[in-house]
Amino acid sequence: MDVTYVLLLSSLGLAQVIAQDCRVPVGGNNMGFKDDLPQTFPNGTKVIFECNVGYMPAGSPSITCTNGTWSPVKLTCERKSCGSAGEVENGDLNYEGTEFGDKLVVTCKTGYIMVGNSQFTCGKDGWLGGRLPVCEAVACDAPPMLTNGDFSPVRDSYNYLEVVQYKCQKDYTMNGSSLSSCSKDGKFQPAPPTCIVVQCKDPDVTNGEWMSGSRPPYKYKSAVTLQCIPGYNMNGAQTQRCELNSQWAPGLPTCEPVLCEDPDVKNAAKEEGSKPPYKVKSTVTFSCVSGYTMTGTRTQTCGLNGQWAPGLPTCAPVLCEDPDVKNAAKEEGSKPPYKVKSTVTFSCVSGYTMTGTRTQTCGLNGQWAPGLPTCEPVLCEDPDVKNAAKEEGSKPPYKVKSTVTFSCVSGYTMTGTRTQTCGLNGQWAPGLPTCAQNKGNGMAIGLGLGLTVLIGSVLTVLGCYFCGVPACIKEKKRSRRGFPVNAAPSADEEVALSVRCAARYT
Ligand SMILES: *[C@@H]1O[C@H](CO)[C@@H](O)[C@H](O)[C@H]1NC(C)=O
């Protein structure tokens, strides 16, 4: 077919006369040329086709070149069929197909084991691969004897799916499955167990102790529950199980000392005490910083539960109470709440006077310093005016607006104001009067004077009687003109007048 054939022809009249050669022929599917192709295909040349391997020929295989044209290809090539390969008892034949090149796989039914070849191919002369296999029923040999155990039933051979049960002797624990069956590969599955001695050691945990569960000796599946002694916390699983490998699972816990957290109290400082880590019974003592006061307990102890006991204190700002001074008002100053260094200034209301310090400062102890003042009513002293008596009026103590009225004793004349009022400044207003003695000195003079007045008066009466009343009265009136209006003649004047009148008419 790879021969190149070149036609050298004249396209004109010559063609009619000279017989033409054929080109390389083209066959049908799955066929080739039987012999080597000739160099040229002159008129009358015969070519024979042949089916490819595995293909069956039908029809005439030859074609002839006639005057440049090949006769039609009559040959057809069909794939060879191998047909059925036969039957396998207790097995299946799985055909890919039955024609040339197709494959066949033989399988045995479950419980049967194949003896022989399982794969076949359809060849040009039938199935390739030899004889069909045989499917033999599965049988297992007896499993090996167990050390420290046995199994049942005991036989020479076991059928497919037959089961044996294993047992371990007393004090031995089975590692593996107690049941095993004859499987399709002719072996017992799963593999036989082993009989082993399982013994776990005492679950020894430092600072821990047995709480509940199994007691020694600890065999397979023994379970113990452990606990830590007070002051220790468990790290790990409390309950442990003795496993096949004679170890506790999930693994022994540890007991760690209980620790209290580093305690923090706002606005407080720790004084000398335990240092972290704070184990049980550690103590820490707090003191509030200046200006803060503690609520709670200063000294805390780390408890078994890892908590500080009796419970951390708090430090709150020291506050002074709202100061109250009777009869006083607060002036501009700090407003409540009164922290340390707040100041309040008081002034007494009208009519009261302060004892103490006006401006108070809230001290670190929550007390006002230097100490709240008091406002006492303003009092006037008991007023004392010499030679005077107090008339009806206020009684001591003399508060503001109390009044006292004085009158001089006989023989004394007042200078100033009789009635005095206690002023806001504690002073009598407008100011105490004085009582001055009338003219003359001493008691003797007074007595003499009195006698003279008496005699004078007698003489006047007599004089008026003897020397004419009208004249005497007239004289008296005239004499009075020399005295100030509304001023009564003094005793001296009275005496002088009487004496004068008496002298004239005597
Ligand atoms: C139990 O059997 C398994 C599987 O054969 C093995 O790997 C394991 O070590 C055995 N355990 C003990 C404790 O003997």
Side-chain angles (χ1 to χ4, degrees):
M1 299 267 272
D2 55 353
V3 175
T4 308
Y5 184 75
V6 181
L7 281 177
L8 297 167
L9 287 175
S10 159
S11 57
L12 292 174
L14 273 172
Q16 304 292 326
V17 189
I18 302 162
Q20 291 179 350
D21 291 349
C22 286
R23 300 180 178 205
V24 175
V26 177
N29 290 333
N30 304 310
M31 61 183 71
F33 300 106
K34 192 176 182 208
D35 305 312
D36 288 342
L37 286 181
Q39 293 294 307
T40 57
F41 299 96
N43 196 32
T45 304
K46 239 184 197 176
V47 172
I48 298 172
F49 284 106
E50 190 181 48
C51 284
N52 292 342
V53 176
Y55 289 82
M56 292 281 287
S60 169
S62 66
I63 54 173
T64 310
C65 175
T66 307
N67 206 14
T69 305
W70 291 103
S71 62
V73 177
K74 295 274 177 54
L75 181 69
T76 55
C77 294
E78 302 281 330
R79 241 170 119 197
K80 269 188 181 161
S81 173
C82 290
S84 167
E87 296 279 315
V88 173
E89 205 178 343
N90 298 311
D92 292 315
L93 280 71
N94 308 293
Y95 294 99
E96 189 185 48
T98 57
E99 293 180 339
F100 179 75
D102 289 340
K103 287 197 161 53
L104 162 63
V105 175
V106 181
T107 55
C108 287
K109 290 187 159 62
T110 320
Y112 292 84
I113 289 181
M114 185 177 299
V115 179
N117 188 22
S118 66
Q119 289 222 10
F120 302 86
T121 309
C122 180
K124 67 180 169 75
D125 299 318
W127 289 106
L128 301 172
R131 289 169 153 213
L132 285 173
V134 175
C135 288
E136 290 180 350
V138 166
C140 291
D141 289 338
M145 288 307 292
L146 286 190
T147 313
N148 303 313
D150 55 20
F151 61 85
S152 64
V154 178
R155 292 212 204 107
D156 285 344
S157 174
Y158 297 82
N159 291 332
Y160 174 61
L161 293 184
E162 227 176 325
V163 172
V164 293
Q165 182 164 25
Y166 297 94
K167 284 206 175 79
C168 288
Q169 289 164 12
K170 190 172 177 293
D171 296 333
Y172 287 85
T173 302
M174 190 177 295
N175 178 19
S177 169
S178 66
L179 295 177
S180 188
S181 64
C182 177
S183 71
K184 60 183 179 190
D185 62 356
K187 293 186 176 135
F188 276 97
Q189 295 287 1
T194 53
C195 293
I196 57 176
V197 176
V198 173
Q199 171 132 26
C200 285
K201 288 184 186 161
D202 277 1
D204 188 21
V205 172
T206 311
N207 298 312
E209 60 193 8
W210 182 95
M211 188 173 119
S212 64
S214 309
R215 286 299 199 177
Y218 298 107
K219 297 185 178 172
Y220 180 50
K221 285 187 178 170
S222 296
V224 290
T225 300
L226 307 173
Q227 66 186 7
C228 293
I229 61 174
Y232 289 83
N233 272 342
M234 189 168 288
N235 194 349
Q238 201 178 11
T239 298
Q240 301 286 323
R241 242 173 63 121
C242 180
E243 288 296 338
L244 280 175
N245 58 359
S246 298
Q247 300 293 316
W248 292 104
L252 294 180
T254 56
C255 288
E256 310 288 349
V258 165
L259 296 181
C260 283
E261 285 195 355
D262 195 352
D264 185 33
V265 174
K266 284 242 166 85
N267 301 310
K270 294 186 195 91
E271 292 182 0
E272 272 305 299
S274 310
K275 294 266 166 282
Y278 296 106
K279 296 191 179 178
V280 170
K281 287 186 184 164
S282 300
T283 60
V284 175
T285 299
F286 293 96
S287 56
C288 294
V289 296
S290 178
Y292 287 79
T293 183
M294 186 173 290
T295 304
T297 309
R298 289 183 68 204
T299 298
Q300 299 285 322
T301 307
C302 181
L304 288 174
N305 59 355
Q307 300 294 316
W308 292 101
L312 297 182
T314 55
C315 287
V318 167
L319 295 180
C320 283
E321 284 193 357
D322 195 352
D324 185 34
V325 174
K326 283 241 169 86
N327 301 311
K330 292 186 196 93
E331 292 182 0
E332 273 304 299
S334 308
K335 293 268 166 281
Y338 297 106
K339 296 192 176 175
V340 169
K341 288 185 184 163
S342 301
T343 59
V344 175
T345 300
F346 293 95
S347 57
C348 294
V349 297
S350 177
Y352 289 82
T353 184
M354 187 171 289
T355 305
T357 309
R358 288 184 69 204
T359 297
Q360 297 288 321
T361 305
C362 180
L364 285 174
N365 59 354
Q367 299 296 315
W368 292 102
L372 296 182
T374 56
C375 286
E376 308 289 351
V378 168
L379 294 182
C380 286
E381 284 193 355
D382 194 351
D384 186 31
V385 174
K386 285 241 167 93
N387 301 312
K390 294 186 196 95
E391 292 181 2
E392 271 305 300
S394 308
K395 293 271 169 279
Y398 298 104
K399 297 193 178 175
V400 170
K401 287 185 184 164
S402 301
T403 59
V404 176
T405 301
F406 294 96
S407 56
C408 294
V409 296
S410 176
Y412 287 79
T413 303
M414 184 173 291
T415 305
T417 310
R418 291 182 67 204
T419 298
Q420 297 288 321
T421 306
C422 180
L424 285 174
N425 58 354
Q427 299 298 314
W428 291 102
L432 295 181
T434 53
C435 287
Q437 198 175 23
N438 297 340
K439 281 199 178 133
N441 287 322
M443 187 65 88
I445 292 169
L447 197 64
L449 194 65
L451 237 114
T452 312
V453 170
L454 187 65
I455 295 164
S457 298
V458 172
L459 287 179
T460 303
V461 172
L462 288 176
C464 290
Y465 181 76
F466 289 110
C467 57
V469 172
C472 184
I473 290 170
K474 193 184 170 188
E475 175 68 7
K476 267 184 146 176
K477 278 181 179 170
R478 194 197 51 83
S479 300
R480 279 176 186 163
R481 281 186 204 122
F483 298 102
V485 183
N486 293 333
S490 72
D492 290 349
E493 305 291 342
E494 202 75 54
V495 170
L497 178 63
S498 300
V499 169
R500 230 180 6 254
C501 181
R504 184 174 297 181
Y505 297 101
T506 304

